Amino acid sequence: MFRAVARIFRTPDLRRKIGFTLGIVALFRLGSFIPAPFVDFGNVQLCLAGNAGTQGLYDLVNLFSGGALLQLSIFALGIMPYITASIIVQLLRVVIPHFETLYKEGQAGQSKLTQYTRYLTIALGVLQSTTLITVARSGALFPSNSGVAECSQLITDDSWYAIMLMVVTMTAGTGLIMWMGELITERGIGNGMSLLIFTSISARFPGSLGSILDTKGVEVFIAVIAVGVVIVAAVVFVEQSQRRIPVQYAKRMVGRRTYGGNNTYIPIKVNMAGVVPVIFASSLLYLPALIAQFNAPAAGQAPAEWVVWIQNYLTKGDHPLYMLLYFLLIVGFTYFYVAITFNPEEVADNMKKYGGFIPGIRAGRPTAEYLDYVLTRVTLPGSLYLGLIALIPLIALVLVGANTNFPFGGASILIIVGVGLETVKQIDSQLQQRHYEGLLR
């Protein structure tokens, strides 16, 4: 292992790529601590200290921004607008035939879809930055029960010029992050956007573990580390699991040459949806709390019954109803996303076109039905696995009193393990190209 790592740094091309990637990551983290114009940095830090351990409404976005959202930095929006834009463009392929046509055109069509994603990212950046500044001005960015008066005095200037400059700055920060991710993909190692998300989430691990150590003691800290190791091992095992459907191709004679006749397989992963269902379910469960927050009554008036019901049942992660809805939404969104991203009829048509068939299954419609049957059965354990992993931070909130940013669970551990495995595979393949011996054995 150590010799393989030494070979990485002895290979000039690979060393240059890793150095470039680390440099971009360092710039990305630096921008997360530079406050946006007209933001009172001192008041922001007081609010963050006063709200340590509380469950805020914007924990998911703050998680993907590496804590930059609640600091109102120039990179406050993080990579979230790009993630949202990518998911929207992917879903629009089902609704808009032109997008599906572009997707099937190959590299040229993919470039146009990428350009649409960039435009949508900037539009979402403007919308989200405007919303963030509005919430910060109203004093609702942090929980109202924090008791810190400075939380309503985060922005020093309320003029239209100041607000416009903040919106432009945060939107430009989103565009810069998107450009950094594309630079890493092109000149560095691994997928740039995924690595920036990985950096944002892993940057919060030391703080989360330190908070557990300070508040719960050494015994709970050691137990959390032990549970974390088991969870990481289980996530690695499931993420690598797949059902391989054998495919055979018939032999064809073209002139004097024989084509086809080889055997291969279609890999169907247990977790084909990745972390997207968890993001969907979290975002959908945030909507009722957000609506209730903006319908808060005036001083001296009692809140409406539906607002009280939402505040009691749908804003606290330790309530059984919240956990049940969260789990069911993840299972439902897993089936929905897999049905969109994997089309059995398209796969069956391509196999039939090139003379491929599954042994024992007729080509054409029977093949599509068989693939759909296997996909449905494999997706069930995958959806249950995603739901259980996403519930780990909420269970930790009940058992040890840790906040919902419990490091070993939810979207954070899925992204860290997935991106880590993919990056290690890319480094391993590049080492094998140069030394015939990779990083992994």
Side-chain angles (χ1 to χ4, degrees):
M1 179 66 182
F2 292 106
R3 287 187 297 174
V5 174
R7 281 197 301 272
I8 293 176
F9 292 99
R10 286 200 302 264
T11 307
D13 185 36
L14 194 54
R15 183 176 65 239
R16 186 163 51 250
K17 288 184 176 181
I18 293 178
F20 180 81
T21 302
L22 294 177
I24 295 293
V25 166
L27 290 176
F28 172 67
R29 289 302 300 159
L30 177 64
S32 301
F33 295 97
I34 300 176
F38 304 105
V39 171
D40 193 323
F41 187 72
N43 287 353
V44 169
Q45 297 306 310
L46 287 175
C47 287
L48 287 172
N51 287 276
T54 59
Q55 181 188 359
L57 186 62
Y58 311 98
D59 279 339
L60 180 68
V61 184
N62 194 46
L63 174 68
F64 283 100
S65 67
L69 175 79
L70 296 182
Q71 297 196 48
L72 296 175
S73 70
I74 59 174
F75 287 169
L77 303 181
I79 204 71
M80 202 63 180
Y82 183 84
I83 297 174
T84 309
S86 300
I87 294 174
I88 290 174
V89 170
Q90 197 167 13
L91 295 178
L92 285 178
R93 284 171 38 201
V94 183
V95 182
I96 303 177
H98 177 63
F99 279 25
E100 183 67 23
T101 304
L102 289 175
Y103 177 77
K104 294 179 179 178
E105 284 183 359
Q107 187 64 33
Q110 293 283 354
S111 299
K112 289 185 179 179
L113 287 178
T114 302
Q115 197 67 21
Y116 292 153
T117 305
R118 292 170 183 162
Y119 294 148
L120 187 56
T121 300
I122 298 300
L124 290 175
V126 173
L127 179 63
Q128 293 182 14
S129 60
T130 305
T131 305
L132 175 61
I133 294 168
T134 304
V135 172
R137 290 175 61 199
S138 66
L141 185 61
F142 294 92
S144 57
N145 57 356
S146 61
V148 182
E150 288 80 5
C151 291
S152 59
Q153 303 169 4
L154 301 177
I155 298 176
T156 59
D157 192 347
D158 285 341
S159 64
W160 68 269
Y161 169 76
I163 296 173
M164 184 67 67
L165 185 59
M166 292 179 67
V167 170
V168 171
T169 302
M170 291 183 179
T171 305
T174 299
L176 184 59
I177 292 173
M178 182 171 57
W179 179 65
M180 286 179 174
E182 292 178 355
L183 277 181
I184 292 177
T185 304
E186 181 182 351
R187 300 177 56 185
I189 194 80
N191 183 282
M193 300 301 177
S194 300
L195 279 174
L196 292 183
I197 300 173
F198 175 91
T199 303
S200 299
I201 295 175
S202 59
R204 305 195 64 187
F205 263 61
S208 299
L209 292 175
S211 176
I212 294 174
L213 178 62
D214 294 338
T215 57
K216 303 300 175 184
V218 179
E219 293 82 3
V220 175
F221 176 77
I222 295 176
V224 167
I225 294 296
V227 171
V229 172
V230 174
I231 292 173
V232 170
V235 171
V236 170
F237 176 77
V238 177
E239 292 294 325
Q240 298 290 87
S241 302
Q242 56 182 221
R243 167 73 184 273
R244 296 181 175 182
I245 300 178
V247 178
Q248 295 180 0
Y249 285 90
K251 291 184 179 180
R252 295 179 300 157
M253 292 294 297
V254 180
R256 295 183 179 181
R257 295 187 177 182
T258 303
Y259 294 91
N262 57 330
N263 299 329
T264 183
Y265 60 87
I266 300 174
I268 298 182
K269 294 182 63 177
V270 173
N271 179 25
M272 288 191 66
V275 76
V276 174
V278 180
I279 298 175
F280 278 179
S282 301
S283 303
L284 196 61
L285 277 178
Y286 278 147
L287 287 179
L290 185 63
I291 295 172
Q293 186 181 47
F294 283 103
N295 284 272
Q301 296 182 2
E305 294 184 2
W306 65 272
V307 173
V308 175
W309 190 87
I310 288 177
Q311 291 175 347
N312 290 337
Y313 297 104
L314 294 183
T315 58
K316 297 180 180 180
D318 55 352
H319 197 279
L321 179 61
Y322 184 96
M323 293 185 183
L324 178 62
L325 287 177
Y326 193 33
F327 181 82
L328 293 178
L329 283 174
I330 290 174
V331 172
F333 278 128
T334 301
Y335 276 95
F336 170 73
Y337 192 73
V338 169
I340 288 176
T341 55
F342 187 90
N343 189 350
E345 294 183 359
E346 182 181 349
V347 175
D349 290 341
N350 290 334
M351 289 171 54
K352 185 177 181 181
K353 185 186 302 182
Y354 294 102
F357 62 94
I358 299 174
I361 307 295
R362 292 180 59 186
R365 186 174 182 82
T367 299
E369 293 176 350
Y370 177 75
L371 290 175
D372 184 64
Y373 170 74
V374 173
L375 185 66
T376 303
R377 296 190 64 183
V378 172
T379 304
L380 177 61
S383 62
L384 298 178
Y385 149 79
L386 278 179
L388 293 175
I389 291 295
L391 286 179
I392 288 175
L394 305 182
I395 296 173
L397 181 65
V398 176
L399 295 181
V400 300
N403 58 7
T404 51
N405 290 330
F406 184 75
F408 299 108
S412 59
I413 199 68
L414 292 171
I415 292 174
I416 283 183
V417 171
V419 176
L421 287 173
E422 190 62 32
T423 305
V424 168
K425 287 179 181 178
Q426 289 203 22
I427 295 176
D428 180 70
S429 64
Q430 297 216 16
L431 276 178
Q432 287 182 349
Q433 290 177 4
R434 295 166 174 81
H435 298 281
Y436 300 103
E437 188 175 351
L439 183 65
L440 303 175
R441 293 185 180 181

